[in-house]
Amino acid sequence: MSSIKDLIAESYLLRRSYVAADLVEAINNLAKHTKVAYKDYTFKSGLEHNGWVVPSDWSVSEAKIYKDNTLIYDGMLHPLSVITQSASFTGKITLQELKKHLYFAPRKPHAIPFHFRLSYRPWQKEWGFCLPKNVFDSLAPGEYDVKLNTTEKPGEMVVREFTIPGKSKETIVFAAHIDHPGMCNDDLAGCAVGVSLLNAIKKQFKKTKYTYKLILVQEIVGSVFYLNALTTEELKNIKYSLFLEMLGNDNTINLQKSFLGNTYIDAVCTTALNSLKNLYRVCSFRESAGNDEIVFEAPGYEIPMPSISRWPYDEYHTSDDNLEIIHEDKLQESLEYLLNIVFILENDVYVKRTFTGIVSLANPKYDLYIDPGQIFTGGLHQNNNATQFQYMMPRLLDGTCKISELAQKFNLDFSWLFNYLNKMKEKGLVLFLEK
Ligand SMILES: [Zn+2]
């Protein structure tokens, strides 16, 4: 069985620009690790929607800079070394002219930065290299010989959609972006956790209540064309979505809420945080990493899309975003958190009491008393959240509250509360209602 990190390692050095054989190879590499059925959506280069344009199929065959016949820089050694969608250039130029085509990251002098603008602007033709600032600074004055050969040809942008059909057509979409050549955390980490999540759902649930999808997209552009390709019926079925991004670095989990911030999926994601053993963070829409939530939340779609990430991290958008910063335990914790979310979605019901008055929960026939301890032992209210729940629960179980709301209100672990209420149900004290 491969680790999640193995799935990242397999594909991260591929030159995953938006329309490229390397990107499809990365999708296929991930797909090898799941039996969940998929469908590919393809969009031809040049296709336009709302001003967004599908780029050409782009590849690089040679990317060298010489000075006095000595190779100074080989842009084939790392996928970030040539700017994405770069035009070709062959010729002799001065250092001054060459520098206009070189990009580096001042904050990380040894690393190669990510230049991605042209993926979003196919109408703009430029050529360029990305290189470490240390190399840039070492370039001596004089004439340079550039041999940059890239190919642009019509192709197809592939968006892959995996589906686990549920009892209901109501759908939850997980999304992650598969582009970003030569990097791990942003966002092969999200893709790899997404595929592992599909497998975990299949393993844990015989048949789910909701339909679950995972889409592997090209950031923004992939989601724009994917949503545009869905039928009105398919769009109507998507109730909620969740973006999975940068899940392997050494930072705490950050839940970025949806545009409205108070939707059901926001509540579920917030409740699921209670089950994490480590610290976590919560922020509002677009206060953390920005991704395809602006597409899903756009007018006409308005599909709530919180995002889960471990943003920020120092290596972001540079060649330092490599396997060294990816931690298997962080990937596993992210997966566990997402499974908590799915567990809540699958088991969340309204709870309606069958009793009036107050029930003696300590009576052995119920055996449901949550003991607050006794003051003479110094242990009173040792389990404050649960005991508070116990005192207020008779009034709250009126059929208008879901388990997730109660868990959130009392800061309780959802599965603990679910098990407790399930026992109440077995004793005939409550009913579980879907609506
Ligand atoms: Zn990025």
Side-chain angles (χ1 to χ4, degrees), residues 114 177 180 186 219 245-246 316-317:
F114 178 35
H177 70 76
H180 279 41
D186 182 12
E219 192 173 9
E245 169 76 319
M246 310 170 190
Y316 173 69
H317 275 196

Side-chain angles (χ1 to χ4, degrees), residues 47-93:
L47 201 65
E48 185 174 338
H49 177 69
N50 273 357
W52 300 96
V53 180
V54 178
S56 307
D57 183 317
W58 176 80
S59 57
V60 190
S61 55
E62 190 179 24
K64 291 187 167 75
I65 303 173
Y66 296 91
K67 187 170 192 305
D68 305 328
N69 292 324
T70 305
L71 182 64
I72 302 294
Y73 192 61
D74 186 353
M76 297 307 281
L77 294 181
H78 193 280
L80 287 175
S81 301
V82 176
I83 65 172
T84 309
Q85 304 292 135
S86 173
S88 293
F89 177 80
T90 301
K92 286 188 193 311
I93 50 173

